[in-house]
Amino acid sequence: MKTSVEKLVAGGRDVDEITGSRRQRRMRKADWSRRLVQENRLTVDDLIWPVFIIDGENRREDIPAMPGVQRMTVDLLVREAERAAKLGIPAIATFPNVDLSLRDETGSAVLDPDNLINRATRALKAEVPEIGVITDVALDPFTSHGHDGILRDGIIVNDETVEQIAAAAVYQAAAGADIIAPSDMMDGRIGAIRDALDANGFSDVAIMSYATKFASAFYGPYREAIGTQGLLKGDKKTYYIDPANTEEALRETEQDIAEGADMVMVKPGLPYLDIVWRLKDTFQLPTFAYQVSGEYSMIRAAAANGWIDGERAMMESLLAFKRAGCDGILTYFAPEVAERLQG
Ligand code: PBG
């Protein structure tokens, strides 16, 4: 008497007939063969490290919502940058947590040539010239309301914000920034920054456009990191892109490129890999993604609970960016990943 399995096998095709003797598992059989056919690789050259800076000296602060990430004073940042450079990390992106007394309605301290960002840039360029410095020109670290623009009568005013951001970009370039990365999503900012940089003799300073920045829930921990969490009234939906929209993201990117963006970024990262792929496929420009604070903290939190293997999830998430077409990734994991890749 035949078992039901035997009957099924007798009645149907055997596997070789189904696959035509093609076997996808052949090359998966051993570590050596898997390595041989691996299509994408993460290297230290893919990493940009976002860091949080504070005023003072020799001080670090934990950020409870981002375990493993600390705010640092400029002197300590310089030491960390030396370590990052030794690990081969190409660039650092700086984000300031500005003293509340220096924040106002228009974010005027962004125009101070000696503000925290500019002091950090000068120190980094003086002491660790081999690492690239990427500065953010948005107003949110400097405004008393946590928005990325100037707020008047409940509205984020576009053109006035753009003028201020373009001027701030010139101070950042003067301090030594290699790449200006506007994260504010105002219309016309890329062209205005390019003009201002060129007019002031900084034609070699590049622009990384946060071309597609979505109005996302994944920025939560970052707002704790730079201290805008309790300040922000309302949301950023009148200037960031609706998470539902792809074509709008393509139009925004096309415009930023026409205005002079040298490289484009997608933010957040992992939930938006389809956008990364579309941008790379459409524009063939250096394309980056920002694995934002919420993405980082989710991996850390799940790992801390023993629900996932944090290290493997970290590496897998970053490899996914490469597979989607990224030239590089901004990630808070950068030093840890670099150490792993080295060792
Ligand atoms: C705002 C800005 C944001 C991030 C960097 N700059 C978003 C926001 O606060 O709305 C998010 C970075 C992260 O979540 O890691 N200009």
Side-chain angles (χ1 to χ4, degrees):
M1 194 121 139
K2 282 186 172 172
T3 65
S4 57
V5 170
E6 284 168 332
K7 269 190 237 155
L8 191 72
V9 170
R13 298 172 294 165
D14 68 23
V15 174
D16 266 336
E17 275 180 286
I18 291 169
T19 65
S21 83
R22 277 187 295 272
R23 296 281 176 153
Q24 303 298 339
R25 291 183 53 193
R26 254 178 226 130
M27 296 312 296
R28 295 177 199 149
K29 74 176 176 188
D31 179 64
W32 67 263
S33 64
R34 290 190 293 268
R35 281 189 284 124
L36 200 60
V37 299
Q38 187 172 57
E39 297 170 37
N40 293 285
R41 277 198 176 84
L42 179 71
T43 77
V44 72
D45 296 329
D46 298 315
L47 304 172
I48 296 172
W49 186 24
V51 292
F52 298 111
I53 25 177
I54 47 175
D55 259 316
E57 236 177 281
N58 195 25
R59 215 156 50 78
R60 294 170 181 273
E61 293 173 356
D62 287 334
I63 302 160
M66 300 182 73
V69 176
Q70 292 179 317
R71 305 182 194 97
M72 288 172 276
T73 52
V74 172
D75 53 326
L76 297 182
L77 172 67
V78 167
R79 301 284 87 81
E80 290 290 336
E82 277 166 0
R83 181 169 77 98
K86 278 204 193 86
L87 286 166
I89 295 173
I92 273 186
T94 55
F95 296 92
N97 182 312
V98 174
D99 196 275
L100 281 182
S101 67
L102 298 172
R103 304 190 196 199
D104 62 20
E105 279 287 301
T106 63
S108 59
V110 78
L111 294 174
D112 178 355
D114 277 322
N115 67 23
L116 189 50
I117 301 182
N118 295 330
R119 273 184 281 126
T121 303
R122 274 197 294 272
L124 286 168
K125 289 313 319 183
E127 298 194 45
V128 201
E130 65 273 29
I131 204 158
V133 174
I134 303 175
T135 54
D136 182 1
V137 272
L139 300 187
D140 59 299
F142 300 98
T143 54
S144 49
H145 43 72
H147 277 290
D148 297 20
I150 297 171
L151 181 66
R152 294 205 194 287
D153 303 324
I155 288 171
I156 304 298
V157 292
N158 192 88
D159 300 10
E160 206 181 331
T161 301
V162 168
E163 285 167 24
Q164 187 154 314
I165 282 171
V170 173
Y171 292 122
Q172 293 184 356
D178 299 292
I179 299 177
I180 305 290
S183 69
D184 57 286
M185 294 298 283
M186 298 299 123
D187 282 324
R189 72 211 194 285
I190 302 297
I193 291 170
R194 188 68 272 158
D195 285 356
L197 290 174
D198 291 350
N200 286 275
F202 298 115
S203 54
D204 60 340
V205 172
I207 300 177
M208 175 188 278
S209 167
Y210 285 67
T212 65
K213 184 168 185 183
F214 292 89
S216 170
F218 290 99
Y219 307 141
Y222 169 90
R223 292 181 186 168
E224 176 180 319
I226 67 153
T228 55
Q229 198 176 37
L231 304 176
L232 187 66
K233 290 169 201 80
D235 55 47
K236 301 190 176 185
K237 290 182 185 167
T238 69
Y239 45 105
Y240 292 177
I241 301 175
D242 184 336
N245 295 354
T246 301
E247 288 173 5
E248 184 182 346
L250 287 165
R251 287 197 299 275
E252 172 83 44
T253 306
E254 186 174 32
Q255 188 168 342
D256 284 5
I257 294 169
E259 290 178 23
D262 300 288
M263 32 199 359
V264 294
M265 187 215 291
V266 173
K267 179 180 180 180
L270 223 49
Y272 295 85
L273 289 186
D274 57 316
I275 305 288
V276 170
W277 175 252
R278 291 288 295 272
L279 296 196
K280 190 66 181 174
D281 198 43
T282 308
F283 303 111
Q284 288 95 40
L285 216 67
T287 304
F288 291 79
Y290 196 143
Q291 182 178 50
V292 299
S293 56
E295 299 175 66
Y296 169 87
S297 298
M298 287 195 305
I299 292 175
R300 279 278 195 249
N305 277 290
W307 296 333
I308 58 172
D309 178 331
E311 206 162 289
R312 284 184 52 212
M314 166 181 87
M315 299 306 283
E316 185 178 328
S317 67
L318 292 167
L319 184 62
F321 286 104
K322 295 291 293 177
R323 199 188 58 243
C326 273
D327 294 286
I329 308 115
L330 289 96
T331 175
Y332 300 100
F333 288 121
E336 200 177 325
V337 172
E339 264 165 18
R340 234 198 100 136
L341 289 170
Q342 262 200 351

